[in-house]
Structures are given as structure tokens and as C-alpha cells.
Amino acid sequence: MNTEAEIREIFGHLKNLMMAHKEAGMEPPPVSKEMLGYMEREVSEGSAYPGQSDHPDSLEGLREFIGDCRRCKLHKSRKKLVFGEGSPRARLVFVGEGPGREEDLAGKPFVGEAGELLTRIVEKGMGLTREDVYICNVVKCRPPGNRDPERDEIEACLPFLKQQISIIQPEVICTLGRISSQELLLRDIKITRERGEWGSFMDIPVMPTLHPAYIVRNPSRERELKGQVWEDVKKIMEHLDLEVKKNG
Ligand code: URA
């Protein structure tokens, strides 16, 4: 990347940070008017993020826009960027944390063991297919060793999730686990306590539930945890007017 592109990218990050503060109703970090004007000018030619000068209005366009992303350090160790998959007209979007090992190799979200459980929830529980919904993550590249994504990585990637959601305009978002629930609901979350309570992101109802990997990691509590996820999934189905079968 040349210096000019790097500067533009830094301004892009700064501007996104300012916008995130504004959206969260927080005071933005103090930046002079001159600096703001400068950032607007720099970012508007060849923006590092959508929603500024470029507006990819399709998922394909957004994927192209993201390109061979190097906006954060996760690019160094990833094999494949995992953009997300499913219907661009999905009524329901699932948001996980970030790709794991299998997803990094396949370039597709939720294809490992946790993914198989999510697929069963969608197919057997909800009576839908993976193609009916949309599945994506907060960060699009695998954090090494499956660690939690770090702040700078989330900040770099969140604009793309926002753009995916604004393109799809789902009726419900289901956040899987603590990380995606915190990022969308803009507060610290204890997921085992706060799952099942409706929140909202970009004016879209959000249902936080347990991450399927948490169930996979706790086989002795499988029945109990699956029951909790089913309670949350039923709320989503009722919201979407989908028929809830008795035996789940
Ligand atoms: N866990 C996630 O959060 N996302 C995936 O895509 C796979 C596992």
C-alpha cells in the first residue's frame, strides 16, 4: 500500500470511530473543525469504508469493495476471508464472532462442529434452510488460535457488517454469543444471563442467544443449553410468523 492510501485508510478508521461514538450517543473524541474537514476530503476520494463516498448496494459489490482486505492485522494469518453467505433477502441474519479453523479453510461461515449445530437449528428447529437465512460474523478473518477478536480488529470490520445488514434489511438479527451481542447491543453482556431478551441494532430487533460452540464445548449440559437456545429461537419464529412445532 502506498503512503497516500495508508493515510486515507487511517482517516477512514478515524471517521468510523467518530461515527460509532455518535451512533452510540457518546461524545466523539475532540477533533478540530479543520481536522474534520481534512478527514472528509481525504476519505471521500477512494474511501477505505463503504457508506462514505462509495455505497456498494449489493452483497457482491460489498465483497468486491472489501477485496483482499488488509485493513487489520488478522489478514496476516488468515487463509480465506469469510464474508458471509445466504440469501440477500433473508428475513433473519445470524451474526457470530469470527471464523474458526474450518471456516478459515473453507471461506464459509459456520461450517465446523458449531456450524453443524447452527445448521440443525435452522433446518430442524426452524424448518428453514441455510439459503433462506444469512450467516456472517463480526470479524471476517480468523483470529489466530480462535482468540477473541481485538478492539482494533472489530473496529476495522464492523462497517462491513453494518453494510451487509443495511443491504439485506432483515426483520430480525440473531447474535450468537457474547462478542456479537456486545458489539450490536453496544454494552457489556453476560450472555448466559441476558440471552433471550430483545434488543435492537440499526432499528432491527436483535435476539441474543448462546453461541453454538458453547454448547459443543459443554456436552454434559447439552440438553439444558439447547433448550435455552430453542426458547430464544421460538421468540424469533413467533416474530417472523413461522409455525413453531411443539416438539422443537
Ligand atoms: N464461530 C463463529 O463465531 N463463527 C463462525 O463462522 C464459526 C464459528
Side-chain angles (χ1 to χ4, degrees), residues 86-107:
S87 169
R89 287 176 300 282
R91 299 177 68 203
L92 169 61
V93 170
F94 287 97
V95 183
E97 177 179 323
R101 198 173 69 89
E102 308 291 329
E103 291 77 17
D104 179 54
L105 292 172

Side-chain angles (χ1 to χ4, degrees), residues 82 95-100 103 108-112 114-115 135-137 176 211 213:
V82 181
V95 183
E97 177 179 323
E103 291 77 17
K108 290 172 191 286
F110 283 94
V111 291
I135 304 175
C136 56
N137 284 301
L176 301 165
H211 196 295

Side-chain angles (χ1 to χ4, degrees), residues 1-227:
M1 201 186 291
N2 63 32
T3 314
E4 199 184 317
E6 274 174 12
I7 291 174
R8 231 178 246 137
E9 187 166 322
I10 292 166
F11 282 125
H13 283 299
L14 277 174
K15 200 174 169 205
N16 272 291
L17 198 66
M18 308 272 296
M19 288 186 337
H21 275 74
K22 208 170 148 201
E23 274 175 29
M26 286 152 57
E27 275 296 301
V31 175
S32 70
K33 269 203 190 111
E34 289 73 11
M35 187 64 171
L36 267 178
Y38 189 52
M39 277 162 59
E40 292 285 352
R41 279 196 303 282
E42 285 298 321
V43 170
S44 65
E45 296 168 48
S47 166
Y49 288 96
Q52 291 155 10
S53 65
D54 293 272
H55 291 265
D57 54 8
S58 69
L59 293 172
E60 293 79 14
L62 178 62
R63 178 65 194 87
E64 211 171 295
F65 184 92
I66 294 175
D68 180 25
C69 189
R70 284 146 202 252
R71 293 170 180 83
C72 86
K73 59 188 178 303
L74 291 180
H75 80 272
K76 293 184 198 153
S77 51
R78 70 149 186 252
K79 301 252 178 334
K80 286 192 179 151
L81 185 148
V82 181
F83 177 68
E85 68 176 10
S87 169
R89 287 176 300 282
R91 299 177 68 203
L92 169 61
V93 170
F94 287 97
V95 183
E97 177 179 323
R101 198 173 69 89
E102 308 291 329
E103 291 77 17
D104 179 54
L105 292 172
K108 290 172 191 286
F110 283 94
V111 291
E113 211 179 341
E116 283 169 19
L117 179 51
L118 178 63
T119 305
R120 284 203 296 282
I121 293 167
V122 170
E123 292 179 349
K124 297 225 164 66
M126 307 188 83
L128 301 173
T129 65
R130 277 178 68 116
E131 291 73 37
D132 291 324
V133 299
Y134 194 83
I135 304 175
C136 56
N137 284 301
V138 170
V139 294
K140 310 225 174 305
C141 296
R142 183 190 184 206
N146 291 354
R147 64 160 168 77
D148 287 352
E150 291 172 0
R151 196 71 247 150
D152 57 322
E153 298 156 358
I154 293 176
E155 294 298 345
C157 221
L158 210 49
F160 302 130
L161 174 63
K162 287 188 181 172
Q163 192 70 8
Q164 282 171 305
I165 289 170
S166 88
I167 291 168
I168 299 169
Q169 289 290 326
E171 290 166 54
V172 178
I173 299 169
C174 177
T175 48
L176 301 165
R178 179 180 59 89
I179 300 278
S180 61
S181 302
Q182 289 192 161
E183 289 312 317
L184 271 60
L185 299 176
L186 300 175
R187 60 190 168 85
D188 285 346
I189 300 257
K190 178 100 178 94
I191 192 68
T192 48
R193 210 179 308 135
E194 296 177 61
R195 50 148 278 273
E197 289 168 22
W198 287 106
S200 143
F201 179 67
M202 294 167 75
D203 284 331
I204 299 168
V206 172
M207 175 53 62
T209 195
L210 303 177
H211 196 295
Y214 178 66
I215 304 181
V216 170
R217 283 198 307 268
N218 287 280
S220 61
R221 296 179 61 206
E222 185 181 314
R223 218 179 136 81
E224 170 204 352
L225 300 177
K226 277 186 177 169

